[in-house]
Amino acid sequence: MKLCLPPSPQARGISQSEHTMTRNLDPKTAYRTLERYQVVDVREPEEWAEGVLPGAVRLPLSTLEARAALELERERPVLLYCRSGNRSQEALKTLLALGYRKVWHLEGGIKAWRETGIPCASPT
């Protein structure tokens, strides 16, 4: 019986140093530096009513790989977030595999953002 293992980071075009590099931003740091990033909400549409980060582009994780090149500037830093941080970590791996190198994710997601007391924007 053959085991099907996921491709290594190197096989996906990600160097070991990029794979192991910490790419987390805590909510307070993210808030102070938000204008530097293309902010990307990787939650699904039904979750957006809970609030969004100011200026966020909405690219659900389920469509990120197909839409990233159309929606994101490759050389500009990207900050990804979801509800709790799990999907944004997956999105980070996806963007690294697609050749984006300036990618971070919001540690703890929008949940941690709100718990810090930082306001969210209303989805429009």
Side-chain angles (χ1 to χ4, degrees):
M1 183 162 125
K2 246 184 177 177
L3 292 177
C4 293
L5 299 173
S8 70
Q10 293 79 12
R12 293 189 322 248
I14 303 169
S15 73
Q16 188 61 35
S17 63
E18 286 174 318
H19 179 67
T20 57
M21 181 187 304
T22 301
R23 292 182 175 265
N24 302 334
L25 276 184
D26 66 87
K28 288 182 181 180
T29 302
Y31 180 68
R32 285 193 314 269
T33 61
L34 204 57
E35 71 282 347
R36 297 180 190 171
Y37 299 96
Q38 299 173 90
V39 180
V40 180
D41 186 339
V42 298
R43 297 175 299 162
E44 294 300 318
E46 61 272 10
E47 298 175 275
W48 298 335
E50 299 169 16
V52 297
L53 297 192
V57 173
R58 297 173 192 152
L59 286 175
L61 181 58
S62 60
T63 66
L64 182 65
E65 190 169 357
R67 294 180 50 203
L70 301 171
E71 304 278 345
L72 301 175
E73 298 173 44
R74 190 173 297 277
E75 295 306 316
R76 201 165 151 227
V78 176
L79 174 62
L80 302 158
Y81 76 95
C82 61
R83 186 184 72 78
S84 63
N86 294 324
R87 284 174 286 179
S88 58
Q89 287 181 349
E90 288 303 313
L92 186 145
K93 292 174 191 173
T94 297
L95 290 183
L96 287 174
L98 291 172
Y100 292 81
R101 296 293 173 243
K102 300 174 183 177
V103 187
W104 287 263
H105 93 101
L106 180 62
E107 196 172 72
I110 198 165
K111 184 177 173 187
W113 180 276
R114 280 197 295 264
E115 288 171 356
T116 306
I118 304 169
C120 293
S122 294
T124 54

